[in-house]
Amino acid sequence: MATLEFFRAGELLYTQALSPRGVRVGRAPDNDLVLIDSIVSSYHLLVFVRDDVIRVRDLNSTNGTFVDNVKVDGSAVLSASQSLRLGPELVLNVRLSEAGGEMGARAYVWHHSANRIVVIDEHEISVAELVDDPALDASWFISATGGGAVLRAGSGVQQLAFEDEFLIGKERFSVVAEDMVHTRTRNTEVRNTWLLTVDLAARAGPFAELSPPGGGPGQIIRAANRVSVLYLLAKQFVADTAEDVVASDVGWCPDEHLMRGVWGRRWEEKGNASFQVLVHRVRKDLARIGIGASLIEKRSGFTRLRPGVLEVAPLS
């Protein structure tokens, strides 16, 4: 059966078997693909297939839908090499896949230390961009082949089969086939993890405690709003881990959901700027404790606790 697959920055966001109604994308919760982003309209666009061709229809969105920077007026064809842009900056890639075969070469790269898996195709991409780590050497590039991947640095080229490992600096990566993805992420051992305990109903008031690897005294955070953020992120983290969600997708919580959880009905008047300040303060708390501010990861409209760094105690 044919399916539509949606990607952002190389990460698989959503996949759905084709149906006559297609895939509707927007900010409202009843869309097929929900994107919590201020530039996305409640019902932004529809992606569907007709005669084995992917087509895009703009649903009178406020900021528009673009195919390779050309605004969609009504509907337009989207080829495999073109990008789909929502508003000024949110870029998606859409593929049509068939059971038993993919359109073009495809593989996955597993970043060991981050326990994160990202999809790659036959188009060459910087490894530093792939894992969103500017500290990595940006002159390394990787692309998928039918049976693995090709890694290039300058004029040097290295052929990689599935399960092959490679190093860039001190960072270790593996090339993974699609049928290995869930096994790989599920069986990954978590080493040197902190333990996060969050209690919203403690007699002395809400607290979050972070205990270092190997035991030892934990460090306490008591500011109520910061504890609430950690609780909501931990709740999403635990739910996704229990469902064997792919590591690259574990823990991502919509910022709107977090703001509602912290400020209730006042979340809209607080706004995104106040939320970003709150996240910054949580990160400062984490840096002070010694776990590192990078435990909290951000992408457009979403926040998460980074997998592979901590375990979460049963939530109270």
Side-chain angles (χ1 to χ4, degrees):
M1 176 181 291
T3 61
L4 280 172
E5 297 177 325
F6 292 75
F7 299 84
R8 178 168 58 189
E11 291 192 60
L12 182 62
L13 289 180
Y14 181 83
T15 180
Q16 177 173 296
L18 288 183
S19 65
R21 64 185 294 270
V23 176
R24 190 174 64 185
V25 181
R27 200 173 67 248
D30 58 339
N31 284 285
D32 300 297
L33 172 56
V34 178
L35 298 173
I36 307 297
D37 193 301
S38 60
I39 66 173
V40 178
S41 294
S42 295
Y43 303 99
H44 199 107
L45 69 135
L46 179 71
V47 181
F48 59 101
V49 175
R50 182 173 296 164
D51 299 326
D52 294 327
V53 174
I54 301 175
R55 301 190 68 88
V56 179
R57 177 179 297 142
D58 183 79
L59 301 177
N60 297 316
S61 64
T62 301
N63 293 304
T65 302
F66 302 80
V67 174
D68 275 0
N69 296 319
V70 177
K71 189 171 184 179
V72 174
D73 183 12
S75 66
V77 172
L78 180 66
S79 72
S81 61
Q82 294 176 308
S83 61
L84 178 65
R85 177 163 58 85
L86 285 63
E89 59 184 21
L90 179 57
V91 177
L92 301 179
N93 293 100
V94 184
R95 287 199 184 99
L96 175 64
S97 298
E98 298 286 345
E102 297 286 343
M103 291 183 63
R106 180 171 165 188
Y108 293 79
V109 171
W110 175 30
H111 186 191
H112 289 227
S113 62
N115 193 19
R116 181 185 180 210
I117 289 186
V118 182
V119 68
I120 57 172
D121 59 19
E122 65 272 17
H123 299 96
E124 195 171 60
I125 185 171
S126 164
V127 174
E129 177 185 348
L130 185 76
V131 298
D132 192 24
D133 187 349
L136 290 178
D137 187 342
S139 65
W140 290 80
F141 297 86
I142 193 166
S143 58
T145 64
V150 173
L151 184 66
R152 179 178 66 84
S155 59
V157 176
Q158 182 179 356
Q159 297 286 337
L160 299 166
F162 293 132
E163 293 289 277
D164 280 356
E165 294 187 4
F166 61 96
L167 289 172
I168 297 180
K170 295 182 179 179
E171 296 297 310
R172 190 158 56 104
F173 303 86
S174 294
V175 179
V176 184
E178 184 165 17
D179 59 357
M180 307 172 188
V181 169
H182 289 282
T183 301
R184 174 63 63 199
T185 55
R186 185 166 56 245
N187 291 341
T188 298
E189 293 184 10
V190 179
R191 298 184 178 90
N192 299 320
T193 55
W194 290 68
L195 177 65
L196 171 63
T197 304
V198 186
D199 191 341
L200 299 183
R203 287 190 176 184
F207 74 89
E209 181 178 13
L210 286 142
S211 303
Q219 298 290 321
I220 304 290
I221 297 173
R222 291 196 180 276
N225 286 349
R226 300 177 209 178
V227 173
S228 294
V229 168
L230 288 170
Y231 176 83
L232 293 167
L233 291 175
K235 186 175 180 181
Q236 186 71 54
F237 182 94
V238 169
D240 288 350
T241 302
E243 294 180 6
D244 273 348
V245 173
V246 175
S248 60
D249 294 335
V250 165
W252 289 113
C253 191
D255 289 348
E256 181 176 322
H257 176 73
L258 293 170
M259 288 188 281
R260 286 179 184 272
V262 173
W263 291 304
R265 294 181 180 179
R266 298 174 54 237
W267 75 274
E268 288 185 289
E269 66 183 70
K270 285 289 187 178
N272 188 63
S274 295
F275 177 69
Q276 298 306 323
V277 170
L278 177 58
V279 171
H280 174 69
R281 288 173 176 167
V282 176
R283 283 174 160 166
K284 286 187 68 175
D285 284 340
L286 296 172
R288 172 181 56 79
I289 289 170
I291 192 172
S294 62
L295 172 66
I296 293 187
E297 293 187 312
K298 287 287 299 169
R299 70 185 188 193
S300 181
F302 291 83
T303 307
R304 76 166 177 177
L305 298 174
R306 182 158 60 92
V309 177
L310 58 76
E311 296 175 353
V312 178
L315 297 170
S316 302

